[in-house]
């Protein structure tokens, strides 16, 4: 298919692999594989189709290469990343950008295209030498749908290939059936773990780079193993998709998709939710009794005038710390089963079972973990105690294992119709537990763009520091923040109906510094929002939206959780705090100005208008406005 690569590919591939590659009749795919076969120089290349045999081969190779190890239970394996490779490498994740675009992209860790490409190609040169590489085809979103983005992954890590097999829909057949005029519109990912040690960990972390080429929808990841750095289909693809969505008029968001199920009528109402990390995203997506479509990334499209969503993925790459039988029963039960699961950076105990921090069980005092052979009290090179598992240790699991998986919603080629959006931050003193926005636009500007998460005693650094996290998407927004926010606003133009937008905050503290509701209270806020979507509850106005009446919440707490909710707690939690809100809006303005010197004027004006309205309310009602007293 290209005389430049034919002989080389035939030499590195079995006849069968070569046939699978050429059967696609996709020049772009062929040239991509050819270019990196030559440049990264693996010993062999295995091309996968969607067959069970190829899935099994990937699992076998991940074990044979020592990147994963069998655990006691059937199907369970463990993988370790290098000690310095257990979270996303933000500093070395960069956009390679054409000169005319450099100014526009300057707050986004951009490097000039030629310079960046030269550097990454030098690092990639012969990086697969002596190794066996694999090529696999996946889709973001369901195949054969308006949402589908076909992707090709070329990697020398069988752990990465295995993770992607669990997390993404297979798409060799989709590639096979693509029409000629569709064949160019694909995402391409080249990854090499580089040199690996005996535990399968990348060694040359000083040369770890993740470079994104938005012009060509291609991402280079070198010398990394942690999935957030290596799995092309996850956050690399998300950055490409956000940019593509911006150009094409749809949205890619860092959001779960779930259905709230009304207990009596069984009515299902779909919500998508954005929560910065450690603000309750997974636990909201998985509230017992509701249904889950996806937990991390959603695409939204206007289909026939409706706001529709798909889950981009088919699995969960979830934080395992503190997953236990009482807080996350659905997940925990599945982590205990003999089924295909990859545990990363947890402890492999002497009984060959996985153990992690906060699992709610006795844990061994020795074994193998993210640091190597480990026993209680071991310190790392900096004299820090090595914990039983890393704080960012994870499980990789198919979503359809979950009893509350919404198979129908997940498989819908046109996506599900979203009636509510949730934006949930973490603050101890400003945002009420749940509030509805008067309009979609107000929701995007006052709920989504203002999201923040506050550090707690449990995180490193000073307590109470707020990190701006617009749309909980800051690490992935791949073009200027103001433009992205304007595109969020524009998205619903011409739709028959806009979703209602709600803020949530599970972390408001009492004056004594205590949480005032149980962890399950989120179920109440969700069901109130669900009722509002169907016009069911009255509410009180605030300067930024509508809050619940006490009587409705009291009943919901009783019916759903059998808990008593006092009027005193209600009044405290739902008081509107004027100065706190003005400060929050000022911080949002400052953050946007720092990230983007071209924030559209209409956005800034909307914030100024909100600040003026809140100031007027403060004059009239006082700084702390109790529920029911504000009259607009
Ligand atoms: C996140 O950090 O938002 C994740 C995990 O979902 S990672 O794959 O590292 O991005
Ligand atoms: Mn995420």
């Amino acid at each position: 298919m290209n005389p430049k690569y034919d002989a080389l590919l035939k030499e590195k591939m079995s006849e069968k692999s070569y046939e699978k590659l050429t059967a696609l009749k996709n020049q772009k795919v062929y040239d991509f594989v050819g270019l990196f076969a030559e440049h990264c120089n693996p010993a062999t290349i295995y091309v996968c189709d969607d067959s069970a045999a190829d899935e099994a081969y990937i699992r076998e190779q991940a074990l044979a290469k020592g990147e994963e190890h069998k655990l006691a239970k059937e199907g369970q394996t463990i993988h370790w990343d290098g000690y310095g490779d257990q979270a996303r490498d933000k500093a070395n994740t960069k956009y390679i950008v054409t000169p005319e675009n450099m100014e526009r992209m300057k707050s986004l860790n951009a490097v000039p295209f030629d310079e960046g490409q030269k550097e990454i190609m030098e690092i990639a040169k012969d990086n697969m030498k002596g190794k066996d590489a694999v090529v696999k085809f996946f889709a973001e979103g369901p195949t054969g749908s308006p949402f589908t983005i076909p992707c090709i992954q070329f990697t020398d890590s069988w752990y990465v290939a295995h993770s992607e097999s669990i997390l993404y829909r297979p798409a060799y057949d989709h590639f096979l059936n693509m029409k000629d005029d569709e064949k160019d519109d694909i995402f391409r990912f080249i990854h090499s773990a580089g040199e690996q040690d005996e535990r399968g960990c990348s060694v040359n972390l000083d040369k770890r780079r993740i470079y994104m080429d938005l012009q060509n929808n291609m991402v280079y990841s070198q010398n990394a193993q942690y999935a957030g750095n290596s799995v092309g289909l996850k956050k690399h693809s998300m950055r490409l998709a956000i940019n593509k969505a911006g150009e094409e008029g749809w949205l890619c968001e860092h959001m779960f998709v779930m259905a709230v199920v009304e207990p009596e009528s069984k009515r299902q109402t779909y919500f998508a939710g954005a929560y910065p990390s450690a603000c309750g995203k997974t636990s909201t997506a998985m509230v017992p009794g509701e249904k889950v479509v996806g937990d991390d990334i959603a695409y939204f499209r206007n289909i026939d005038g409706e706001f529709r969503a798909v889950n981009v993925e088919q699995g969960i790459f979830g934080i395992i710390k503190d997953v236990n039988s009482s807080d996350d029963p659905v997940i925990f039960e599945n982590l205990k089963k003999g089924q295909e699961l990859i545990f990363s950076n947890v402890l492999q105990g002497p009984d060959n079972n996985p153990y992690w921090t906060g699992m709610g069980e006795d844990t061994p005092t020795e074994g193998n973990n993210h640091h190597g052979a480990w026993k209680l009290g071991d310190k790392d090179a900096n004299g820090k105690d090595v914990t039983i598992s890393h704080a960012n240790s994870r499980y990789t699991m198919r979503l359809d294992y979950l009893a509350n998986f919404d198979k129908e919603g997940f498989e819908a080629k046109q996506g599900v119709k979203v009636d509510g959006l949730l934006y949930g931050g973490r603050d101890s003193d400003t945002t009420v537990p749940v509030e509805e926005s008067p309009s979609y636009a107000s929701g995007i500007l006052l709920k989504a763009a203002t999201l923040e998460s506050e550090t707690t005693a449990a995180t490193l650094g000073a307590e109470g520091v707020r990190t701006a996290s617009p749309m909980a998407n800051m690490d992935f927004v791949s073009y200027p923040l103001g433009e992205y926010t304007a595109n969020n606003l524009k998205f619903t133009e011409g739709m028959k109906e806009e979703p209602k937008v709600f803020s949530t905050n599970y972390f408001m503290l009492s004056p004594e510094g205590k949480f005032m509701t149980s962890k399950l209270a989120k179920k109440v806020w969700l069901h109130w929002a669900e009722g509002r979507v169907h016009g069911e509850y009255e509410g009180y106005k605030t300067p930024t939206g509508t809050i619940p009446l006490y009587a409705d919440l009291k009943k919901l707490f009783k019916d759903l959780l059998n808990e008593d909710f006092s009027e005193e707690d209600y009044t405290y939690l739902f008081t509107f705090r004027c100065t706190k809100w003005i400060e929050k809006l000022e911080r949002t303005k400052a953050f946007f100005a720092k990230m983007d010197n071209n924030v559209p004027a209409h956005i800034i004006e909307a914030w100024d208008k909100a600040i003026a309205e809140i100031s007027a309310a403060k004059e009239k009602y006082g700084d702390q406005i109790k529920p029911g007293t504000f009259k607009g």
Side-chain angles (χ1 to χ4, degrees):
M1 286 186 67
N2 183 342
K4 213 165 129 195
Y5 302 128
D6 291 344
L8 179 82
L9 289 179
K10 281 182 183 154
E11 179 200 312
K12 292 189 187 287
M13 286 180 186
S14 68
E15 222 170 281
K16 190 138 185 243
S17 277
Y18 188 75
E19 250 172 52
K20 287 185 213 168
L21 182 68
T22 48
L24 299 175
K25 299 194 177 62
N26 187 319
Q27 193 66 48
K28 192 164 187 168
V29 164
Y30 190 89
D31 288 344
F32 170 71
V33 176
L35 172 68
F36 288 102
E38 185 180 78
H39 192 77
C40 300
N41 193 20
T44 68
I45 304 170
Y46 188 93
V47 178
C48 297
D49 57 23
D50 300 339
S51 64
D54 281 357
E55 298 292 341
Y57 186 67
I58 289 175
R59 288 196 292 270
E60 264 165 40
Q61 288 300 305
L63 292 169
K65 305 277 192 271
E67 290 188 278
E68 291 176 36
H69 308 271
K70 273 191 178 186
L71 290 169
K73 288 196 179 118
E74 187 59 32
Q76 296 193 351
T77 59
I78 187 164
H79 160 87
W80 292 291
D81 299 303
Y83 198 57
D85 187 28
Q86 286 161 356
R88 273 186 278 114
D89 180 354
K90 294 191 198 182
N92 287 306
T93 300
K94 299 183 186 175
Y95 296 98
I96 56 175
V97 167
T98 50
E100 61 277 15
N101 226 351
M102 272 306 283
E103 177 62 22
R104 176 173 171 258
M105 294 287 285
K106 76 167 185 255
S107 68
L108 294 173
N109 214 4
V111 286
F113 193 94
D114 291 347
E115 187 189 307
Q117 207 200 27
K118 182 162 174 276
E119 186 194 359
I120 195 75
M121 287 302 268
E122 273 168 19
I123 288 174
K125 179 81 187 139
D126 290 327
N127 218 14
M128 294 184 179
K129 197 164 176 190
K131 295 167 87 176
D132 299 319
V134 51
V135 170
K136 195 153 181 1
F137 301 88
F138 297 98
E140 300 285 33
T143 51
S145 97
F147 293 92
T148 318
I149 296 184
C151 301
I152 172 172
Q153 173 79 64
F154 184 157
T155 177
D156 61 11
S157 166
W158 296 76
Y159 158 71
V160 166
H162 184 200
S163 300
E164 288 179 330
S165 288
I166 296 174
L167 295 171
Y168 301 95
R169 291 156 169 108
Y172 181 82
D173 286 347
H174 181 93
F175 270 81
L176 211 47
N177 295 324
M178 278 161 78
K179 299 197 184 71
D180 283 345
D181 65 350
E182 297 166 345
K183 287 185 175 171
D184 247 19
D185 199 7
I186 60 175
F187 286 0
R188 294 169 294 168
F189 304 102
I190 176 76
H191 166 256
S192 172
E195 199 184 324
Q196 284 160 281
D197 63 16
E198 69 289 346
R199 308 181 92 218
C201 302
S202 296
V203 171
N204 299 315
L205 296 182
D206 58 323
K207 294 210 173 63
R208 177 175 54 206
R209 299 288 183 279
I210 297 115
Y211 281 10
M212 278 151 310
D213 173 356
L214 299 170
Q215 291 73 218
N216 297 297
N217 284 325
M218 192 164 126
V219 182
Y220 309 73
S221 164
Q222 299 291 307
N223 300 308
Q225 280 282 76
Y226 170 66
N229 293 321
S230 62
V231 168
L233 278 278
K234 196 156 184 82
K235 293 308 184 348
H236 308 345
S237 169
M238 189 177 168
R239 297 185 188 95
L240 300 184
I242 288 173
N243 178 65
K244 184 175 168 66
E247 286 170 0
E248 296 176 356
W250 49 281
L251 296 175
C252 168
E253 294 299 310
H254 195 199
M255 283 180 139
F256 65 67
V257 180
M258 55 94 71
V260 176
V261 185
E262 205 280 320
E264 269 157 40
S265 64
K266 303 285 175 232
R267 173 179 75 196
Q268 278 190 202
T269 307
Y270 287 97
F271 285 84
Y275 292 67
S277 82
C279 292
K281 185 178 183 191
T282 308
S283 54
T284 307
M286 312 264 169
V287 167
E290 320 302 345
K291 286 195 163 176
V292 60
V293 176
D295 80 317
D296 198 34
I297 309 170
Y299 291 167
F300 299 138
R301 279 184 181 266
N302 174 344
I303 296 185
D304 297 332
E306 290 183 343
F307 192 115
R308 300 193 73 93
V310 292
N311 176 10
V312 166
E313 311 181 279
Q314 65 167 18
I316 315 176
F317 177 59
I319 293 186
I320 201 166
K321 183 168 180 269
D322 295 330
V323 172
N324 54 55
S325 61
S326 55
D327 293 337
D328 291 287
V330 187
I331 304 272
F332 188 76
E333 178 197 329
N334 273 285
L335 297 181
K336 290 285 183 174
K337 285 189 189 162
Q339 56 191 2
E340 186 180 18
L341 285 167
I342 309 173
F343 293 87
S344 52
N345 305 318
V346 302
L347 179 76
Q348 175 187 33
D351 62 355
N352 205 21
N353 277 309
Y355 294 92
W356 57 92
T357 311
M359 71 187 291
E361 290 180 4
D362 288 341
T363 50
T365 52
E366 60 178 13
N368 293 303
N369 73 1
H370 56 296
H371 193 243
W374 172 88
K375 58 184 176 351
L376 195 65
D378 277 357
K379 308 226 183 283
D380 69 11
N382 299 320
K384 251 186 80 186
D385 270 332
V386 178
T387 47
I388 162 167
S389 59
H390 190 271
N392 191 31
S393 54
R394 302 255 171 177
Y395 60 88
T396 304
M397 177 170 100
R398 295 179 62 92
L399 261 166
D400 60 11
Y401 289 172
L402 303 177
N404 63 342
F405 175 60
D406 178 14
K407 187 167 186 291
E408 209 180 306
F410 172 81
E411 285 176 352
K413 304 267 187 212
Q414 307 293 308
V416 296
K417 177 171 176 279
V418 173
D419 288 319
L421 299 176
L422 302 161
Y423 291 95
R426 173 188 273 268
D427 74 53
S428 56
D429 60 9
T430 309
T431 314
V432 299
V434 64
E435 182 178 275
E436 179 189 320
S437 288
S439 66
Y440 172 81
S442 169
I444 294 299
L445 292 169
L446 300 191
K447 308 286 194 260
T450 63
L451 268 190
E452 293 177 309
S453 96
E454 187 177 306
T455 53
T456 66
T459 37
L460 292 176
E463 221 177 305
V465 175
R466 290 160 216 257
T467 305
S469 189
M471 289 74 163
N473 211 2
M474 275 324 292
D475 287 347
F476 314 109
V477 168
S478 47
Y479 62 97
L481 183 58
E483 260 179 73
Y484 162 75
T485 304
N487 282 335
N488 262 261
L489 289 169
K490 247 195 269 167
F491 176 61
T492 56
E493 271 173 20
M495 281 192 194
K496 287 186 264 195
E497 198 186 348
E498 292 180 326
K500 285 191 183 293
V501 182
F502 301 86
S503 61
T504 67
N505 174 27
Y506 308 147
F507 305 97
M508 176 69 97
L509 297 179
S510 70
E512 298 76 39
K514 297 230 157 44
F515 290 123
M516 299 172 72
T517 51
S518 75
K519 278 192 175 174
L520 286 175
K522 50 179 80 75
K523 193 174 176 80
V524 170
W525 320 136
L526 282 178
H527 279 265
W528 182 77
E530 196 268 350
R532 287 290 296 179
V533 164
H534 298 283
E536 282 176 4
Y537 298 113
E538 294 297 313
Y540 290 134
K541 289 260 166 299
T542 78
T544 52
T546 303
I547 53 169
L549 307 184
Y550 172 64
D552 293 328
L553 292 183
K554 181 179 153 81
K555 182 164 173 6
L556 282 167
F557 266 98
K558 199 73 203 164
D559 291 354
L560 295 168
L561 304 176
N562 197 23
E563 285 182 18
D564 295 317
F565 183 52
S566 76
E567 187 154 17
E568 198 186 338
D569 285 358
Y570 163 79
T571 303
Y572 185 82
L573 285 167
F574 284 91
T575 288
F576 187 87
R577 294 158 171 89
C578 296
T579 303
K580 291 283 181 197
W581 255 99
I582 292 168
E583 287 168 3
K584 188 179 178 69
L585 288 166
E586 294 290 1
R587 284 195 300 274
T588 303
K589 279 176 63 182
F591 181 73
F592 269 69
K594 188 177 92 187
M595 293 306 294
D596 184 352
N597 49 19
N598 247 328
V599 179
H602 65 96
I603 292 180
I604 300 171
E605 281 158 21
W607 288 325
D608 286 339
K609 186 165 168 267
I611 290 169
E613 283 166 8
I614 297 169
S615 304
K618 183 177 162 182
E619 280 291 302
K620 193 161 168 194
Y621 300 98
D623 191 40
Q624 316 262 314
I625 308 178
K626 292 211 162 56
T629 48
F630 179 77
K631 300 291 174 223

